[in-house]
């Protein structure tokens, strides 16, 4: 008579479960994002990085959405929020600078904050700070949310452009800049040819400064216009 195969002990945790932490899972997920983008994130992919049974991750996160939420919360919670001074533009710019400092480490992960609906105090703290600044400036709650989303989308957009354009149009790549300028100047398009010296070069700091100044000027003007139109 054949001996029956041994069965797994009921209640025994999957391989590696005891060593898992939420922080470790977030770091592994960031590694996957760095290698394969947000689209490459999944329970199996993160488990491979950690060297554990995929089932063990479900004790800490709820599938792929849980992984992405955890990364977004970690990102927002790690931003060193500056103190509020009462200066609308100065306070918003200081928050944007703190966001950028953190986002440049994991730009694709930073973009997750546009798509995740977070509920934790960690994830909502930066949103709370921006809304406090806007409300203190006289912005109504609905308008404050519109401005929050607009400034955030602008900020993330310029950060993604900075990361992706830098290697191609960076100020240190003089040969590449010269080649690109020549191509644009001979494009046969007058406006493009005229702007060729500027189109061919990408100064990430200058672009960030211009974009954020533009967005914050627009936000301040909008708040002032709304305040004047109230009865």
């Amino acid at each position: 008579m054949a001996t029956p195969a041994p069965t797994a002990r009921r209640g025994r945790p999957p391989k590696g479960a005891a060593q898992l932490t939420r922080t470790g899972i977030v770091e592994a997920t960031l590694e996957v994002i760095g290698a394969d983008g947000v689209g490459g994130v999944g329970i199996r992919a993160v488990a491979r990085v950690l060297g554990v049974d995929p089932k063990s991750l479900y004790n800490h996160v709820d599938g792929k959405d849980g992984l992405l939420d955890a990364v977004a919360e970690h990102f927002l919670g790690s931003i060193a929020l500056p103190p509020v001074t009462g200066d609308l533009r100065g306070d918003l710019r200081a928050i944007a600078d703190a966001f950028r400092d953190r986002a440049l480490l994991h730009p694709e992960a930073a973009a997750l904050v546009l798509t995740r609906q977070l509920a934790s105090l960690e994830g909502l703290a930066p949103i709370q700070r921006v809304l406090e600044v806007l409300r203190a400036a006289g912005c109504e709650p609905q308008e404050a949310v519109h401005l929050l989303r607009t400034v955030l989308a602008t900020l993330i957009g310029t950060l993604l452009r900075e990361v992706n354009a830098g290697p191609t149009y960076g100020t240190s790549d003089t040969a590449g800049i010269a080649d690109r300028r020549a191509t644009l100047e001979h494009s046969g398009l007058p406006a493009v040819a005229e702007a060729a010296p500027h189109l061919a070069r990408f100064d990430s700091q200058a672009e960030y400064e211009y974009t954020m100044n533009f967005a914050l000027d627009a936000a301040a003007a909008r708040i002032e216009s709304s305040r004047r139109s109230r009865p």
Side-chain angles (χ1 to χ4, degrees):
M1 181 176 178
T3 304
T7 57
R9 191 171 56 212
R10 198 173 280 182
R12 183 176 180 179
K15 175 187 173 184
Q19 292 77 37
L20 284 176
T21 64
R22 191 171 178 85
T23 298
I25 292 171
V26 167
E27 290 174 351
T29 307
L30 286 171
E31 187 174 330
V32 173
I33 291 174
D36 302 315
V38 172
V41 172
I43 290 293
R44 291 185 179 279
V46 173
R48 277 196 298 271
V49 172
L50 292 167
V52 300
D53 187 323
K55 293 191 293 294
S56 64
L57 295 182
Y58 287 102
N59 295 318
H60 302 269
V61 293
D62 184 17
K64 177 175 180 177
D65 282 337
L67 290 171
L68 297 179
D69 286 347
V71 168
E73 288 176 352
H74 171 77
F75 171 82
L76 289 170
S78 64
I79 296 172
L81 291 172
V84 175
T85 68
D87 173 12
L88 171 66
R89 288 186 91 270
D91 286 340
L92 290 178
R93 177 55 188 271
I95 296 170
D97 289 348
F99 186 100
R100 180 182 184 234
D101 288 343
R102 188 65 187 158
L104 287 176
L105 299 176
H106 302 286
E108 288 197 45
L112 287 173
V113 304
L114 292 175
T115 60
R116 312 311 300 174
Q117 293 186 346
L118 306 178
S120 68
L121 290 176
E122 182 182 42
L124 292 173
I127 295 172
Q128 166 72 15
R129 180 63 58 83
V130 174
L131 292 176
E132 285 176 348
V133 170
L134 292 171
R135 293 288 286 127
C139 202
E140 295 294 335
Q142 184 177 12
E143 184 77 1
V145 170
H146 284 312
L147 289 175
L148 163 71
R149 290 173 175 166
T150 299
V151 172
L152 181 59
T154 302
L155 174 58
I156 290 179
T158 195
L159 287 169
L160 292 176
R161 179 184 59 183
E162 176 176 350
V163 171
N164 292 320
T168 303
Y169 302 116
T171 55
S172 61
D173 183 12
T174 54
I177 292 169
D179 287 345
R180 181 61 176 166
R181 176 174 177 175
T183 298
L184 295 171
E185 288 177 338
H186 294 89
S187 65
L189 302 170
V192 170
E194 181 182 42
H198 312 290
L199 287 171
R201 181 181 295 275
F202 185 88
D203 182 329
S204 61
Q205 185 63 37
E207 293 289 339
Y208 172 73
E209 295 283 343
Y210 185 94
T211 301
M212 291 315 302
N213 285 338
F214 183 89
L216 296 181
D217 285 345
R222 178 80 181 198
I223 292 172
E224 182 60 25
S225 175
S226 296
R227 193 162 47 196
R228 288 179 178 177
S229 66
R230 290 179 203 143

